[in-house]
Amino acid sequence: RPSADQAAPALTADSVPVEAGRFHENTARERLLVRTAPREGDDFTIEAVVKLDSLDAASAVRVIASRWNGERLSLDSHGWSLGVTGKKSAFKAGTLIVQLVGEDDNANTAYEVIPSGLEIAVGRMHHVVARVSCAEGTVNFRVRDLSAAESPPRTATAKLSLVGKLGAGA
């Protein structure tokens, strides 16, 4: 990811190969695991280009990227996940969210969902960005529909209550 003072290359739906990372749940192509990546710390940015074929029919989250084992109660479960909510979620279907497990201000392990309020349309290519900052206590979201050339980015900022140790998990 370029630093804040460098311009990122312009992305369009035509510049991203559709089959580059086609993942399907419960198949051999369910996910890509990177085992040697450095830890992000408590202030980091997640960025991806995605095209959703569908939303989960129940309330499950369709994960875009994560460093999280899905658990919520131990130090080993500390981590993060960027995803999109299912049709029966407590949040509006198709909402971009970040799930975090870290340390609260009492040094307890805590789980938190941070919804963006921004929807990801099924069948359209999107550039999504989530900037997590425990230092600022915020998650800044940015979504741009790459299927519409002149589409301006949609942005949102949400508060988070965790104070750190997001990258402490195994």
Side-chain angles (χ1 to χ4, degrees), residues 147-169:
S147 301
E150 300 301 317
S151 171
R154 296 174 289 141
T155 61
T157 300
K159 292 285 191 184
L160 67 96
S161 62
L162 297 179
V163 297
K165 294 197 178 174
L166 301 178

Side-chain angles (χ1 to χ4, degrees), residues 2 29 31 40 42 80 89 93 114 128 141 148 157 165 167:
R29 292 193 47 117
R31 65 182 55 123
E40 297 83 10
D42 294 328
W80 55 266
S89 170
I114 298 94
V128 298
F141 294 93
T157 300
K165 294 197 178 174

Side-chain angles (χ1 to χ4, degrees), residues 12 15 27 36 45 53 57 59 65 70 72 107-108 110 129 132 153 156 165-166:
T12 66
S15 68
T27 71
T36 59
T45 300
D53 290 332
S59 62
R72 303 178 185 182
N108 296 315
V129 179
V132 177
K165 294 197 178 174
L166 301 178

